[in-house]
Amino acid sequence: MDHISHLEKMRQYFDSGITKPYAFRKEQLQKLKRSILSHEQDLYDALYADLKKSPEETWVTETGMVISELNAAIKDLKSWMEPERVATNLLNLPSGSKVLKEPLGVVLIIGPWNYPFQLLINPLIGAIAAGNCVVLKPSEFATATEMVMKKIIEAVFPPEYIFYVQGNGAVVVPAMMNNFSFDHVFYTGSTAVGKIIYKMAAERLVPVTLELGGKSPCVVEEDANINVAARRIAVTKFSNVGQMCVAPDYVLVHASKKEALLAALKKSIQQFFGDKPEESYSYGKIINEKQFNRVIGYLQQGTIEYGGRFDKSTLFIEPTILTDIQPGAAVMSDEIFGPILPVISFTTKEEAMQIIRQHPNPLAFYVFTSSGTRENDWLNSVAFGGGCVNNASWHLTNHHLPFGGRGFSGSGNYHGKYSFETFSHKKAVMKTPTWFDPAIKYPPFKGKLKLFKWVIR
Ligand code: NAD
């Protein structure tokens, strides 16, 4: 059967109403959790094969994140689904008002390869919790993880409910989106493909959530705790070999602390990965040759302060610090998405802001400072998706915070209750009693202006 007739079957399945009751949704979330946990070892093996992630890193950044999202959804689903009573304005009294949370229908979720499990399954949790049918399109580049996820999904869900579609995204996704009106598309990936998705969705007025990338700056102020800053920047930047959407893309350090920060960063990298990161249990690899070739191209675009070695046969690139970046270099215009950290000094905030403004709306922003005034000043100056003070990337692991970008780094957000809301329609309902029906509301209106001005103000 071709995809489109299958999607029509999914629409019928949704229209039957089977996915709507609380009991059904909760049961599916529990099934998903059981299926994931029964494939825990397969996921460790697959993520090692695709990205050389250790089981520990896999738990923290992939499986564990998903399990904690599932636990939160299972625990709180009932309260999320409750109709929300809201106040009613004077004009409409004695009516009552409420907001119902309604599933959207058949939704499409498209994932990238860098956190291939978490970034496909976390949105799925929100979509199931909200009562939708879901088409899941994993990235074709994390091949081992893609196969395990297929098993996890197909072991517990019929394809009319959750449909797992593999293949080349540039072929498979347009074939579906141009011939079927999804009720929502949730896309995580590059900004370039995000634009293609947005255009296709616009043709059919399909709402979208776009979780895109970009250059996320990290500012280190003169009053920062430099050792802590270096450790926290390095652990995030070199986790998954820099292939992280919220990795600090580049560091802007106050000139008075540049040397101290460079020394502390080198020390941290040494402590984390030793002299031979290629042999480190805790250091991964680049996903494929295409990405490898792109990333090593940046190594010549400045002075290598630390690292710089690479090995194509194992897709290894050493954690690298770059200074004295050449003017106009691609490493400062592209999203790096690899283990190369440009460190640039500034003396005034305006100087730093000029660099940040070249890449509007970063997905993440980090500032290291011990001053509350400086912290607020930075947070108010940069229009970013989400971020941290004196930390990097950990905001995304707190499901009580909405996760998403703005503008160039995306639109919409998810995690925890925000995922449920992303995949729900807020249906506004007003109920008006019939025992009170004053004539003032009906024509003729002549002479009623004064009263209307009193009621509507
Ligand atoms: P990508 O855009 O190449 O691919 C993402 C998905 O889109 C894949 O499933 C792919 O099959 C599909 N796709 C590719 N071409 C397509 C096309 N022409 N039409 C429709 N679908 C298509 O992204 P990627 O390389 O997998 O991921 C890296 C990028 O994603 C980086 O920019 C990174 O910052 C970003 N990212 C963002 C987040 C976030 O949460 N905001 C998370 C991870 C990655």
Side-chain angles (χ1 to χ4, degrees):
M1 191 194 301
D2 69 83
H3 283 165
I4 301 308
S5 47
H6 181 77
L7 295 174
E8 297 297 349
K9 275 186 78 176
M10 293 182 77
R11 169 86 65 221
Q12 284 165 20
Y13 189 83
F14 176 76
D15 287 345
S16 77
I18 195 169
T19 65
K20 289 189 180 174
Y22 165 70
F24 177 88
R25 303 186 198 188
K26 188 173 169 192
E27 192 190 337
Q28 309 315 308
L29 293 171
Q30 286 165 331
K31 275 191 199 169
L32 179 60
K33 182 176 164 183
R34 280 198 297 274
S35 190
I36 290 168
L37 290 176
S38 72
H39 289 86
E40 187 179 339
Q41 186 58 47
D42 298 338
L43 284 169
Y44 291 140
D45 295 344
L47 284 150
Y48 188 85
D50 286 332
L51 289 149
K52 197 176 163 266
K53 284 188 200 186
S54 65
E56 288 82 353
E57 186 170 345
T58 292
W59 185 264
V60 174
T61 64
E62 302 260 18
T63 334
M65 263 189 84
V66 166
I67 292 295
S68 78
E69 281 270 339
L70 269 166
N71 288 338
I74 291 166
K75 179 169 142 291
D76 293 335
L77 180 61
K78 195 157 208 149
S79 69
W80 294 348
M81 287 175 66
E82 290 290 327
E84 195 184 321
R85 296 228 153 264
V86 297
T88 300
N89 57 349
L90 179 62
L91 171 67
N92 289 294
L93 288 177
S95 303
S97 305
K98 63 184 172 186
V99 182
L100 305 178
K101 285 75 172 277
E102 192 175 67
L104 299 176
V106 181
V107 303
L108 170 63
I109 297 174
I110 305 167
W113 51 261
N114 61 329
Y115 290 88
F117 178 69
Q118 187 243 115
L119 293 171
L120 191 75
I121 306 298
N122 265 353
L124 172 67
I125 296 168
I128 289 177
N132 298 281
C133 289
V134 186
V135 177
L136 282 176
K137 163 65 184 80
S139 166
E140 60 274 38
F141 298 115
T143 47
T145 311
E146 190 189 2
M147 290 315 296
V148 177
M149 292 194 294
K150 180 178 163 68
K151 282 191 206 154
I152 288 172
I153 296 301
E154 294 183 351
V156 285
F157 299 127
E160 306 79 49
Y161 175 44
I162 313 286
F163 184 40
Y164 194 80
V165 179
Q166 291 168 278
N168 177 353
V171 176
V172 172
V173 173
M176 292 191 290
M177 286 187 71
N178 292 331
N179 294 292
F180 181 80
S181 290
F182 286 101
D183 296 290
H184 194 89
V185 174
F186 187 107
Y187 167 80
T188 304
S190 64
T191 303
V193 174
K195 288 180 186 172
I196 298 173
I197 300 284
Y198 210 176
K199 277 189 194 146
M200 286 191 288
E203 277 301 313
R204 290 171 174 256
L205 291 177
V206 173
V208 292
T209 301
L210 299 174
E211 298 284 340
L212 311 177
K215 286 185 94 61
S216 297
C218 177
V219 170
V220 180
E221 274 285 9
E222 56 187 323
D223 58 2
N225 179 328
I226 295 297
N227 288 331
V228 171
R231 263 201 302 277
R232 295 184 184 173
I233 293 168
V235 75
T236 297
K237 176 69 186 188
F238 302 112
S239 171
N240 205 24
V241 194
Q243 301 165 114
M244 185 197 285
C245 58
V246 289
D249 189 272
Y250 58 97
V251 170
L252 293 165
V253 57
H254 191 273
S256 64
K257 289 288 152 61
K258 184 179 175 191
E259 290 313 317
L261 182 72
L262 286 172
L265 280 169
K266 291 173 195 174
K267 195 172 149 204
S268 295
I269 298 171
Q270 275 275 338
Q271 281 171 349
F272 297 164
F273 310 115
D275 286 336
K276 289 192 164 176
E278 59 270 53
E279 291 171 10
S280 169
Y281 176 87
S282 308
Y283 193 66
K285 72 172 187 74
I286 299 289
I287 184 88
N288 55 31
E289 256 190 43
K290 184 178 162 210
Q291 293 296 327
F292 178 90
N293 291 336
R294 183 184 63 78
V295 176
I296 58 166
Y298 300 133
L299 289 170
Q300 289 95 46
Q301 297 177 358
T303 304
I304 294 176
E305 281 281 339
Y306 185 89
R309 289 184 304 114
F310 53 87
D311 178 357
K312 195 177 217 162
S313 68
T314 54
L315 298 174
F316 162 76
I317 303 179
E318 197 175 11
T320 299
I321 302 172
L322 218 56
T323 54
D324 310 321
I325 311 296
Q326 294 154 10
V331 74
M332 281 309 292
S333 53
D334 302 349
E335 177 183 5
I336 297 170
F337 223 57
I340 298 178
L341 183 64
V343 175
I344 299 163
S345 63
F346 67 91
T347 43
T348 63
K349 183 178 166 224
E350 191 42 41
E351 237 180 274
M353 281 302 297
Q354 273 181 18
I355 297 175
I356 294 171
R357 280 196 204 100
Q358 287 166 18
H359 316 284
N361 310 137
L363 178 60
F365 174 77
Y366 309 116
V367 58
F368 289 81
T369 176
S370 53
S371 143
T373 312
R374 279 212 170 102
E375 166 191 325
N376 287 333
D377 189 28
W378 277 110
L379 294 180
N380 292 328
S381 301
V382 184
F384 59 95
C388 301
V389 177
N390 293 328
N391 212 339
S393 86
W394 287 92
H395 62 295
L396 85 87
T397 63
N398 176 6
H399 64 255
H400 299 290
L401 285 171
F403 178 70
R406 55 177 292 179
F408 290 99
S409 58
S411 55
N413 54 58
Y414 72 127
H415 285 182
K417 190 179 181 192
Y418 302 99
S419 297
F420 174 83
E421 289 177 350
T422 283
F423 288 103
S424 298
H425 171 67
K426 288 198 166 91
K427 192 186 239 179
V429 176
M430 183 181 283
K431 181 175 174 181
T432 308
T434 52
W435 54 262
F436 182 66
D437 203 27
I440 180 83
K441 288 192 167 185
Y442 301 100
F445 294 129
K446 194 154 194 268
K448 294 178 180 172
L449 184 59
K450 208 171 157 197
L451 188 65
F452 286 175
K453 283 192 166 175
W454 183 79
V455 176
I456 305 172
R457 59 200 149 105

